[in-house]
Amino acid sequence: MIRFENDYAEGAHPRILQRLIDTNEEQSPGYGMDEHCAKAREYIRKACDRENADVHFLVGGTQTNTTIISSILRPHQGAVAAITGHIADHETGAIEATGHKVLTLPSDNGKIKAGQVKELYDAHWNDAAHEHMVQPGLVYISHPTENGTTYSKSELEELSKVCRECDLPLFIDGARLGYGLVSEGSDLSLADLAKLCDVFYIGGTKLGAMFGEAVVIMNDHLKKDFRYMIKQKGGMLAKGRLLGIQFETLFEDSLYYDISKHAVEMAMMIREAFVDKGYSLRYDSKTNQQFPILPHEVLSKLGEKYSFSYWGKVDDGKSVVRFCTSWATKKENVERLIEDIRNL
Amino acid sequence: MIRFENDYAEGAHPRILQRLIDTNEEQSPGYGMDEHCAKAREYIRKACDRENADVHFLVGGTQTNTTIISSILRPHQGAVAAITGHIADHETGAIEATGHKVLTLPSDNGKIKAGQVKELYDAHWNDAAHEHMVQPGLVYISHPTENGTTYSKSELEELSKVCRECDLPLFIDGARLGYGLVSEGSDLSLADLAKLCDVFYIGGTKLGAMFGEAVVIMNDHLKKDFRYMIKQKGGMLAKGRLLGIQFETLFEDSLYYDISKHAVEMAMMIREAFVDKGYSLRYDSKTNQQFPILPHEVLSKLGEKYSFSYWGKVDDGKSVVRFCTSWATKKENVERLIEDIRNL
Amino acid sequence: MIRFENDYAEGAHPRILQRLIDTNEEQSPGYGMDEHCAKAREYIRKACDRENADVHFLVGGTQTNTTIISSILRPHQGAVAAITGHIADHETGAIEATGHKVLTLPSDNGKIKAGQVKELYDAHWNDAAHEHMVQPGLVYISHPTENGTTYSKSELEELSKVCRECDLPLFIDGARLGYGLVSEGSDLSLADLAKLCDVFYIGGTKLGAMFGEAVVIMNDHLKKDFRYMIKQKGGMLAKGRLLGIQFETLFEDSLYYDISKHAVEMAMMIREAFVDKGYSLRYDSKTNQQFPILPHEVLSKLGEKYSFSYWGKVDDGKSVVRFCTSWATKKENVERLIEDIRNL
Amino acid sequence: MIRFENDYAEGAHPRILQRLIDTNEEQSPGYGMDEHCAKAREYIRKACDRENADVHFLVGGTQTNTTIISSILRPHQGAVAAITGHIADHETGAIEATGHKVLTLPSDNGKIKAGQVKELYDAHWNDAAHEHMVQPGLVYISHPTENGTTYSKSELEELSKVCRECDLPLFIDGARLGYGLVSEGSDLSLADLAKLCDVFYIGGTKLGAMFGEAVVIMNDHLKKDFRYMIKQKGGMLAKGRLLGIQFETLFEDSLYYDISKHAVEMAMMIREAFVDKGYSLRYDSKTNQQFPILPHEVLSKLGEKYSFSYWGKVDDGKSVVRFCTSWATKKENVERLIEDIRNL
């Protein structure tokens, strides 16, 4: 069975693994106060072109979203998100468990528009009974989205503008950030993100690290006491240096981008094969996740050799599925898949 | 200005006020352990035809909903409700503040159907990733709904059946319960409710009491330690006997129903006047809230003499508004309003 | 049975009851937006000599404490309180239920000292692992305390000074505030409180009102969105004007103080009787609660005619009990009690 | 600088590291549904002699404590713990953040006694106002404790008996479990723990793993839906197999015990050296943490070459510090330390 079901099926990128081996017997202070974390912070600040950014390392995505969001909101506030957003649908109510409603906006492709945020904001404040409703307190987007789509620079600029007008911090979930940054036609850099949002995180788990997410806080008001929040929410790794070592390796040179490019190239090959064969795609993804709409007999056939994940039913004959690539996706496996698609 | 904007514009029904006066200098133990509460519990158990029901008195509706729901759910569970449900939309995220998501079902008229609950339940358990999603943990309905509509006995029986099959406690928010029970064509009694749901509350604030809601718990599993929950959630009134006295008065004879009938009669007169004049109604309400769709010039005109509440825009020329009646609505005021509607 | 067990055994002071009767049929907007609330706010601001204070009305004490504290703290912060404080011990974990630890300080008589707060604050910030501990976020005191004791002006000034130095908002629980303000030797006024703390509340439930507490917020940073918090925590009474009417009556003239004085006079008569008879007092209370240490046979004897509340065992032969007075305590009943104490 | 400041200064035990290397390119399903986790579960069940135990893998200790405790308690319940317990003092209020109070018992050496639990339980239920107080809902102990001390089998049996009589689940925090199991004089096995408590966890982070804790649930009532809780609290690692691989390695043979024995031997050598030199120990620890009381000039001297952690001041001249050992502690470093102690 060749696995395309997710982007975390393997361990760590060989260079990261090697660095973990090389440093294994080093002795470091705990909780992220070591030199590897310091170095990694420095590299990330540089990559973001922001000397004053606060950088923190956490273990996983749900934990990171929960820690950031609950750190920002007051009790009567909620997080605005696309209805497809990870926090709205796939974190077992982690945000609600910290006391906050997720205020969802409709979305077909995972993205939300500046106009939608403005409208929700105005609707809240114009309602005579607004004190009886959850106040929008921040805006959450994912880039790329859960559907593989990405924001353009101008879309993000508009969103950022509206958020600042409405005094709503903008938080970008970058669990798969690299794949978005290197995708075809993307005009966004880390420095743009750092300029346009208040806080974001750079995903490691799905991009070469064994595990780990790097939180980057730009907005000074959101920096205070963030380490307390990490500890309380269970994200402060005792051996914090493990996270530092991994992000140090990813950002000391272009490794993070190289990994991302490889995965995206593999995904585009798969995409092309499906399109060439006449299948349509549920979302127009230029990143490492592809969502072909396939007849059930095709799914059975491909399912004999490949694992992929079920996304949703289209009609009695067809469903959407997801194929994922990553740093570990082997070109020969992709070629075999393409061959099999051609021969369907 | 004659007020039809809500059903809590005045104080208490004269008989309740008199009883509060008569008992004012009595000395009682606190926190609902007094004889008036005991008496009121007895009357309510009798009205429900359930000797083993647990009855508790709280001050207001949001508090009651929060206390009941957070008492039932485990941390990973949510409350299923219509998207129009009070807990979904008008309690400033009180349910989320106790850690729980409200899982909303679409509804045009405020009601949800047994089939919708079954579908949501099945969708959850059939999803391979269900552990990453909030588990449905109870079903919340309001009767009458926030839109004035009511469930028929057969509708409630179906809902109850599905809930029991799915092991989902059914909770009925009865903030305006009396108005539903006496409404034209209603075939539901308190005893039916007690048989078909696991817990419900009998609204007092909007039905003659100065304030107060009576929680009735039928399901033995939900009874344990409920008084701790009332205290923690701020609903345990020091002078609990004030609540006992009020419900004692409402249920020692037919007062609760008499009050409800008067209000519904007044509402039906208003409804008829709008219909006769050719205006349509947004919801088919047979209870004390009426929702006519009116041209903006009519709203301006009526707004000179009467207060009512704004519900939502229909189009550039028309909006839905709400007219409410209560125990305190004076027939002569209704007649003046009707006269003014006729003369529009 | 003559009840001295608490200060909420009766209904409302006759003048308040009369006002509720007089206004019963008035129609008002809901949720505290009515003219009675406006008037009551004005009177209270005047009594506090602070035109810019925000004044809100809630129903009960636990609810008020929870709403205020959870409105102020960030998730990693706790409320500093005496170990005897109501929030530490007698609210079923209501503060923890909103996510916050109560950081307790030892206290024999219910009071805490400025030095204790400073020490706890320094200990936190000097601990290398402070991020692994709950950060002190505000200071809670009660005046009078749960033990009937009171702060002097100089004690409160010191506490206030330390709190401001440490950037810790100071919150005073005034569930029995009046009894403290009028107690013998007290040199504190409402205006002093308003100057020295950031937020406090004026208890109504235990001082003549049927129910109700008036929150007074002085610190501008704590004012924002407080009404959202009241709604979410279940404290926003639909018929908010009931609270306005009661505080209007209490503060339109000297009623609040008159009630307090009567109760304290009655309590001091009881105190004197016990002392004259040779019994000692557990706390040196000059307010409406008295805590004699009595032999068990005396408790049995007095218990035949009077109710009082059990406070704690001293040794095999003696226990502390509490006698409370209120606006409703009748002088003839106190005289009978005194007579019976003399005849022990 | 030679580090004795904690037991997580290095990476992973070489055998674990090797296994991570060997399996790095394997493809597995996510979230702990892989074969390594299955194998590790099997080994642990066998080690506990309990075929029906549920075994889950989480990343870190605070997260594990929070997930277990919030999974068990109802909202009005609290966790009983020693005042020195990790959850009481060093997790930034993580338990309170899920809504629950930690009910602390005094302890000098980190342990609590069966009698203390019984007394607290009785005091709660005998208090007339118990509904106004947090109800004890489970008992938390750590073994070894934060102070290095351990429970004997008979002590644990008594505690277990009381907990079962009081219907209080007993939870053992085993962050350093191995060090306790192999300590001199210990008569407790994993099978004993499994029999005597309801849920416990086997620490990996401090005992050879790169990171990871294995939760073992024996009580059937506590098993339901635990994976939802792990996900919600941020502990469900995407690459769950990393945890499986580590615990598989630790428990496929005696590695877990071998690691523990080495660390304890090293610690006992350090202990002996201090005692021989005439210094006393703050706690009588037979495990990997040692707490000598040392004059400040000795601390300065030793601090030039060795890192250790500060524990608390004894008097103006002396303080308690902590020396920790682990799998990674090198014998030659311990011998150098001992030499330096002798030469003091």
Side-chain angles (χ1 to χ4, degrees):
Chain A
M1 183 71 61
I2 300 171
R3 296 193 173 273
F4 290 103
E5 84 209 52
N6 63 40
D7 31 19
Y8 41 83
E10 291 88 359
H13 186 274
R15 270 184 57 198
I16 286 179
L17 190 63
Q18 190 55 50
R19 196 66 67 88
L20 289 170
I21 297 167
D22 295 346
T23 57
N24 190 56
E25 306 229 347
E26 279 182 19
Q27 290 194 310
S28 325
Y31 304 114
M33 307 309 274
D34 62 282
E35 289 175 21
H36 294 287
C37 284
K39 204 80 180 166
R41 282 188 194 102
E42 192 191 311
Y43 290 147
I44 288 175
R45 283 195 197 101
K46 213 166 160 183
C48 295
D49 198 20
R50 290 287 285 252
E51 283 313 300
N52 67 336
D54 271 10
V55 181
H56 301 274
F57 303 107
L58 283 83
V59 175
T62 295
Q63 190 182 82
T64 303
N65 287 333
T66 307
T67 306
I68 291 173
I69 291 172
S70 66
S71 173
I72 295 174
L73 298 180
R74 287 189 61 205
H76 60 293
Q77 296 179 321
V80 179
I83 192 150
T84 53
H86 211 255
I87 59 165
D89 200 33
H90 268 82
E91 302 188 347
T92 321
I95 303 306
E96 288 83 359
T98 64
H100 303 286
K101 195 183 190 79
V102 179
L103 298 162
T104 54
L105 291 172
S107 173
D108 180 60
N109 64 0
K111 293 164 64 176
I112 55 175
K113 294 192 171 68
Q116 286 181 289
V117 172
K118 185 70 171 75
E119 203 175 322
L120 178 141
Y121 179 85
D122 288 343
H124 177 82
W125 289 101
N126 291 336
D127 192 316
H130 61 83
E131 292 163 346
H132 296 235
M133 297 159 98
V134 174
Q135 187 185 91
L138 65 79
V139 174
Y140 163 99
I141 60 170
S142 34
H143 180 85
T145 68
E146 294 73 12
N147 304 321
T149 55
T150 52
Y151 288 84
S152 70
K153 191 166 173 177
S154 71
E155 285 172 333
L156 195 60
E157 282 170 345
E158 281 174 59
L159 206 45
S160 176
K161 191 163 166 281
V162 162
C163 286
R164 282 168 192 181
E165 282 165 14
C166 299
D167 200 19
L168 293 170
L170 177 59
F171 161 37
I172 303 178
D173 174 338
R176 295 187 171 94
L177 188 55
Y179 303 133
L181 295 177
V182 307
S183 66
E184 193 197 315
S186 169
D187 54 358
L188 276 172
S189 66
L190 269 185
D192 292 327
L193 257 66
K195 217 169 63 188
L196 295 172
C197 79
D198 298 272
V199 52
F200 68 100
Y201 78 87
I202 303 173
T205 301
K206 293 168 181 167
L207 289 116
M210 197 175 258
F211 57 89
E213 321 293 325
V215 175
V216 187
I217 311 181
M218 257 77 50
N219 183 330
D220 285 341
H221 298 299
L222 310 184
K223 291 175 179 174
K224 200 173 173 206
D225 293 342
F226 194 73
R227 281 176 55 83
Y228 285 86
M229 292 296 302
I230 300 176
K231 176 64 188 165
Q232 183 185 79
K233 300 307 178 200
M236 191 172 276
L237 199 63
K239 299 177 188 172
R241 54 92 167 266
L242 298 175
L243 295 163
I245 290 163
Q246 298 187 77
F247 277 96
E248 197 184 354
T249 312
L250 285 169
F251 283 92
E252 69 192 353
D253 55 21
S254 62
L255 182 60
Y256 191 72
Y257 299 97
D258 298 344
I259 284 172
S260 301
K261 270 179 211 150
H262 168 75
V264 171
E265 272 171 33
M266 296 300 102
M268 296 311 281
M269 284 169 66
I270 296 172
R271 175 186 162 120
E272 213 175 288
F274 281 120
V275 169
D276 284 354
K277 193 69 187 180
Y279 297 120
S280 48
L281 302 161
R282 176 65 183 85
Y283 309 109
D284 184 21
S285 164
K286 304 284 174 55
T287 60
N288 78 314
Q289 302 181 91
Q290 294 299 324
F291 301 86
I293 299 172
L294 300 175
H296 292 164
E297 61 275 14
V298 167
L299 294 178
S300 301
K301 186 83 185 151
L302 291 176
E304 290 165 17
K305 285 205 213 160
Y306 308 97
S307 74
F308 39 82
S309 60
Y310 180 80
W311 204 255
K313 193 170 141 176
V314 172
D315 59 36
D316 281 353
K318 294 197 293 288
S319 287
V320 184
V321 294
R322 184 184 72 164
F323 283 79
C324 274
T325 59
S326 78
W327 66 269
T329 304
K330 296 198 173 77
K331 197 167 181 184
E332 64 261 31
N333 285 341
V334 172
E335 284 166 347
R336 282 177 58 188
L337 171 63
I338 289 173
E339 188 63 25
D340 286 331
I341 293 170
R342 280 192 193 130
N343 295 334
L344 279 170
Chain B
M1 183 71 62
I2 300 171
R3 296 193 173 272
F4 291 101
E5 83 209 56
N6 63 39
D7 31 21
Y8 42 81
E10 291 88 358
H13 185 275
R15 269 184 56 198
I16 287 180
L17 190 63
Q18 190 56 50
R19 196 68 66 91
L20 289 170
I21 297 166
D22 294 345
T23 57
N24 191 53
E25 307 230 345
E26 278 182 21
Q27 291 194 310
S28 326
Y31 304 116
M33 308 308 274
D34 63 283
E35 288 175 22
H36 294 287
C37 285
K39 205 80 181 164
R41 282 188 194 102
E42 192 190 312
Y43 290 146
I44 287 175
R45 283 196 197 101
K46 212 165 160 184
C48 296
D49 197 19
R50 290 287 284 254
E51 283 312 300
N52 67 335
D54 272 11
V55 181
H56 302 275
F57 303 106
L58 283 83
V59 175
T62 295
Q63 190 182 83
T64 303
N65 287 333
T66 306
T67 306
I68 291 173
I69 290 173
S70 65
S71 174
I72 295 175
L73 298 179
R74 287 190 58 206
H76 60 292
Q77 297 180 321
V80 178
I83 193 150
T84 51
H86 211 255
I87 59 165
D89 200 34
H90 269 81
E91 302 187 350
T92 322
I95 303 305
E96 288 83 1
T98 64
H100 303 286
K101 196 183 188 79
V102 179
L103 298 162
T104 54
L105 291 171
S107 174
D108 180 61
N109 64 0
K111 294 164 64 176
I112 55 175
K113 293 191 172 68
Q116 286 181 289
V117 172
K118 186 70 171 74
E119 204 176 322
L120 178 141
Y121 179 84
D122 288 343
H124 177 82
W125 288 102
N126 291 336
D127 193 315
H130 60 82
E131 292 164 346
H132 297 234
M133 297 159 98
V134 174
Q135 187 184 93
L138 65 78
V139 173
Y140 163 97
I141 60 170
S142 35
H143 180 84
T145 68
E146 294 73 10
N147 303 322
T149 55
T150 52
Y151 289 85
S152 69
K153 190 166 174 178
S154 71
E155 285 171 333
L156 195 60
E157 281 169 344
E158 282 175 57
L159 206 46
S160 176
K161 191 162 166 280
V162 161
C163 286
R164 280 166 194 183
E165 282 165 14
C166 299
D167 200 19
L168 293 170
L170 177 59
F171 161 36
I172 303 177
D173 174 337
R176 293 186 173 95
L177 189 55
Y179 302 133
L181 295 177
V182 307
S183 67
E184 192 198 315
S186 169
D187 54 358
L188 277 171
S189 67
L190 269 186
D192 292 327
L193 258 65
K195 216 167 63 186
L196 295 173
C197 79
D198 297 273
V199 52
F200 68 99
Y201 78 87
I202 303 172
T205 302
K206 293 168 180 166
L207 289 114
M210 197 176 257
F211 57 88
E213 321 293 325
V215 175
V216 186
I217 312 181
M218 255 77 49
N219 183 331
D220 285 340
H221 297 298
L222 309 183
K223 291 175 179 174
K224 202 175 171 204
D225 292 343
F226 194 73
R227 281 176 55 85
Y228 284 87
M229 292 296 303
I230 300 176
K231 176 63 188 166
Q232 183 186 79
K233 300 306 179 201
M236 191 173 276
L237 198 64
K239 298 177 188 171
R241 54 92 169 263
L242 297 174
L243 294 163
I245 289 162
Q246 297 185 77
F247 278 96
E248 198 184 356
T249 312
L250 286 168
F251 282 92
E252 67 191 351
D253 54 22
S254 62
L255 183 59
Y256 191 70
Y257 299 96
D258 298 343
I259 284 172
S260 301
K261 270 179 213 153
H262 168 75
V264 170
E265 273 170 32
M266 295 300 103
M268 296 311 281
M269 285 169 65
I270 296 172
R271 174 186 164 119
E272 213 176 289
F274 281 120
V275 169
D276 285 353
K277 193 70 188 181
Y279 297 120
S280 48
L281 303 162
R282 176 66 183 84
Y283 309 109
D284 184 21
S285 164
K286 303 282 173 56
T287 60
N288 78 314
Q289 302 182 90
Q290 294 299 325
F291 301 88
I293 300 172
L294 300 175
H296 294 161
E297 62 274 16
V298 166
L299 294 179
S300 301
K301 186 81 187 152
L302 292 177
E304 288 165 18
K305 285 205 212 159
Y306 308 97
S307 74
F308 39 82
S309 60
Y310 180 78
W311 204 256
K313 192 170 143 174
V314 172
D315 60 35
D316 281 353
K318 293 196 293 288
S319 288
V320 185
V321 293
R322 185 184 71 167
F323 283 79
C324 275
T325 59
S326 77
W327 67 268
T329 304
K330 295 198 173 76
K331 196 166 181 185
E332 65 260 32
N333 286 340
V334 172
E335 284 166 347
R336 282 176 58 188
L337 170 63
I338 289 173
E339 186 65 23
D340 285 331
I341 293 170
R342 280 193 194 129
N343 294 336
L344 281 170
Chain C
M1 183 71 60
I2 299 171
R3 297 193 171 273
F4 290 102
E5 83 209 53
N6 62 41
D7 31 20
Y8 40 83
E10 291 89 0
H13 186 275
R15 268 184 57 197
I16 287 180
L17 190 64
Q18 189 56 49
R19 196 67 67 92
L20 289 170
I21 298 166
D22 295 345
T23 58
N24 191 53
E25 306 229 349
E26 279 182 18
Q27 291 195 309
S28 324
Y31 304 115
M33 307 309 273
D34 62 281
E35 288 175 21
H36 294 287
C37 285
K39 205 81 182 165
R41 284 189 192 101
E42 192 191 312
Y43 290 146
I44 288 174
R45 284 195 197 101
K46 212 166 162 184
C48 296
D49 197 20
R50 289 288 285 253
E51 283 312 301
N52 67 336
D54 272 11
V55 181
H56 302 274
F57 303 106
L58 282 82
V59 175
T62 295
Q63 188 183 84
T64 303
N65 287 334
T66 307
T67 306
I68 291 173
I69 290 173
S70 64
S71 175
I72 295 175
L73 298 179
R74 286 189 60 204
H76 59 293
Q77 296 180 320
V80 179
I83 193 151
T84 52
H86 211 255
I87 59 165
D89 201 33
H90 268 82
E91 302 187 350
T92 322
I95 303 306
E96 288 84 359
T98 65
H100 304 285
K101 197 185 188 77
V102 179
L103 298 162
T104 54
L105 291 171
S107 172
D108 181 60
N109 64 0
K111 294 164 63 176
I112 56 176
K113 293 192 171 68
Q116 286 180 289
V117 171
K118 187 70 171 74
E119 204 176 321
L120 177 141
Y121 178 86
D122 288 344
H124 176 83
W125 289 101
N126 291 336
D127 193 315
H130 60 83
E131 292 163 346
H132 296 234
M133 296 159 99
V134 174
Q135 187 183 93
L138 66 79
V139 173
Y140 162 98
I141 61 170
S142 36
H143 180 85
T145 69
E146 295 73 10
N147 304 321
T149 56
T150 52
Y151 289 85
S152 70
K153 190 166 174 177
S154 71
E155 285 172 332
L156 195 60
E157 282 170 345
E158 281 175 59
L159 205 47
S160 175
K161 191 162 167 281
V162 162
C163 286
R164 280 167 193 181
E165 282 165 14
C166 300
D167 199 20
L168 294 170
L170 177 59
F171 161 37
I172 304 178
D173 174 338
R176 294 186 173 95
L177 189 54
Y179 303 134
L181 295 177
V182 307
S183 66
E184 191 197 316
S186 168
D187 54 358
L188 276 171
S189 67
L190 268 186
D192 292 326
L193 258 65
K195 216 167 64 185
L196 295 172
C197 78
D198 297 273
V199 52
F200 68 99
Y201 78 87
I202 303 172
T205 302
K206 293 168 180 168
L207 289 114
M210 196 175 261
F211 57 88
E213 320 293 325
V215 174
V216 187
I217 311 180
M218 255 76 50
N219 182 331
D220 285 340
H221 297 299
L222 309 184
K223 290 176 179 173
K224 201 175 172 203
D225 293 342
F226 195 73
R227 281 177 54 84
Y228 285 87
M229 292 297 302
I230 300 176
K231 176 63 188 166
Q232 183 186 79
K233 300 307 179 200
M236 190 172 278
L237 199 64
K239 298 177 188 170
R241 53 94 168 262
L242 297 175
L243 295 162
I245 290 163
Q246 297 185 79
F247 278 96
E248 198 185 355
T249 312
L250 286 168
F251 282 93
E252 68 190 352
D253 55 21
S254 63
L255 183 59
Y256 190 71
Y257 298 97
D258 297 343
I259 285 172
S260 301
K261 270 179 212 151
H262 168 75
V264 171
E265 273 171 32
M266 295 300 103
M268 296 310 282
M269 286 169 64
I270 295 172
R271 174 185 164 119
E272 214 177 288
F274 281 119
V275 170
D276 285 354
K277 192 70 186 178
Y279 297 121
S280 48
L281 302 162
R282 175 65 184 84
Y283 310 109
D284 184 21
S285 164
K286 304 281 175 57
T287 60
N288 79 314
Q289 303 181 91
Q290 294 299 324
F291 301 86
I293 299 172
L294 300 175
H296 293 163
E297 62 273 17
V298 166
L299 294 178
S300 300
K301 185 83 186 151
L302 291 177
E304 289 164 18
K305 283 205 213 159
Y306 308 96
S307 74
F308 40 82
S309 61
Y310 180 78
W311 203 255
K313 192 171 141 173
V314 172
D315 59 35
D316 281 352
K318 293 196 294 288
S319 288
V320 184
V321 294
R322 185 184 71 166
F323 284 78
C324 274
T325 59
S326 77
W327 66 268
T329 304
K330 296 199 171 76
K331 198 168 182 185
E332 64 261 32
N333 286 339
V334 172
E335 284 166 347
R336 282 176 59 187
L337 171 63
I338 289 172
E339 186 64 23
D340 286 330
I341 293 169
R342 279 192 195 129
N343 295 336
L344 280 170
Chain D
M1 183 70 60
I2 299 171
R3 294 192 174 274
F4 291 102
E5 84 209 52
N6 63 40
D7 31 20
Y8 41 82
E10 291 88 359
H13 186 275
R15 267 182 59 196
I16 286 179
L17 190 63
Q18 190 57 48
R19 195 68 65 90
L20 289 170
I21 298 167
D22 295 345
T23 57
N24 191 55
E25 306 229 347
E26 277 182 20
Q27 291 195 309
S28 325
Y31 303 115
M33 307 308 274
D34 62 282
E35 289 175 21
H36 294 287
C37 284
K39 204 82 181 165
R41 280 188 196 104
E42 191 191 312
Y43 290 146
I44 288 175
R45 283 195 198 101
K46 214 165 159 184
C48 295
D49 198 19
R50 289 287 286 251
E51 284 312 300
N52 66 336
D54 271 10
V55 181
H56 302 274
F57 304 106
L58 282 84
V59 175
T62 296
Q63 189 182 83
T64 303
N65 287 335
T66 307
T67 306
I68 291 173
I69 290 172
S70 65
S71 175
I72 295 174
L73 298 179
R74 287 189 60 205
H76 59 293
Q77 297 179 319
V80 178
I83 193 150
T84 53
H86 211 256
I87 59 165
D89 200 34
H90 268 82
E91 302 188 348
T92 322
I95 303 306
E96 287 83 0
T98 65
H100 304 286
K101 196 183 188 79
V102 180
L103 298 162
T104 54
L105 291 172
S107 173
D108 180 61
N109 64 1
K111 293 164 64 178
I112 55 175
K113 293 191 173 68
Q116 285 181 289
V117 171
K118 186 70 171 74
E119 204 175 322
L120 177 141
Y121 179 85
D122 288 343
H124 177 82
W125 289 101
N126 291 336
D127 192 317
H130 61 82
E131 292 164 345
H132 296 234
M133 297 160 98
V134 174
Q135 187 185 90
L138 66 80
V139 173
Y140 162 99
I141 60 170
S142 36
H143 180 84
T145 69
E146 295 72 12
N147 303 323
T149 55
T150 52
Y151 288 86
S152 70
K153 191 167 171 175
S154 70
E155 285 172 334
L156 196 60
E157 282 170 345
E158 281 174 59
L159 205 45
S160 176
K161 191 163 166 280
V162 161
C163 286
R164 282 169 193 180
E165 283 165 13
C166 299
D167 200 20
L168 292 171
L170 177 58
F171 161 37
I172 304 178
D173 175 338
R176 294 187 172 94
L177 188 56
Y179 303 133
L181 295 177
V182 307
S183 67
E184 193 196 317
S186 168
D187 53 359
L188 275 173
S189 67
L190 269 186
D192 291 328
L193 258 64
K195 217 167 63 186
L196 295 172
C197 78
D198 297 273
V199 51
F200 68 100
Y201 78 87
I202 303 173
T205 301
K206 292 167 181 168
L207 289 115
M210 197 175 258
F211 57 89
E213 322 292 327
V215 175
V216 187
I217 313 181
M218 256 78 48
N219 183 331
D220 286 340
H221 298 299
L222 309 184
K223 291 175 178 174
K224 202 174 171 205
D225 293 343
F226 194 73
R227 280 176 55 83
Y228 284 86
M229 292 295 302
I230 300 176
K231 176 63 188 167
Q232 183 185 79
K233 300 307 179 200
M236 191 172 278
L237 199 63
K239 299 177 187 170
R241 53 90 168 266
L242 297 173
L243 295 162
I245 289 163
Q246 297 186 79
F247 278 95
E248 198 184 354
T249 312
L250 286 168
F251 282 92
E252 68 192 351
D253 55 20
S254 62
L255 183 59
Y256 190 71
Y257 298 98
D258 297 344
I259 284 172
S260 301
K261 269 179 211 150
H262 168 75
V264 170
E265 273 171 32
M266 296 299 103
M268 295 311 283
M269 287 169 65
I270 296 172
R271 174 184 163 121
E272 213 175 289
F274 280 120
V275 169
D276 285 354
K277 193 70 187 180
Y279 297 120
S280 49
L281 303 161
R282 176 65 182 83
Y283 310 109
D284 184 21
S285 164
K286 304 282 173 56
T287 60
N288 78 313
Q289 303 181 90
Q290 294 299 325
F291 300 87
I293 299 172
L294 301 174
H296 293 162
E297 60 275 15
V298 167
L299 294 177
S300 299
K301 185 84 184 150
L302 291 176
E304 288 165 18
K305 283 206 214 158
Y306 307 97
S307 74
F308 39 82
S309 61
Y310 180 79
W311 204 255
K313 194 171 141 174
V314 172
D315 60 34
D316 281 352
K318 293 196 295 290
S319 288
V320 185
V321 294
R322 184 184 72 165
F323 283 77
C324 274
T325 60
S326 78
W327 67 268
T329 304
K330 295 197 172 77
K331 198 168 182 183
E332 64 260 31
N333 286 339
V334 172
E335 283 166 347
R336 283 176 59 187
L337 170 63
I338 289 174
E339 188 63 24
D340 286 332
I341 294 170
R342 281 193 191 126
N343 295 335
L344 279 170

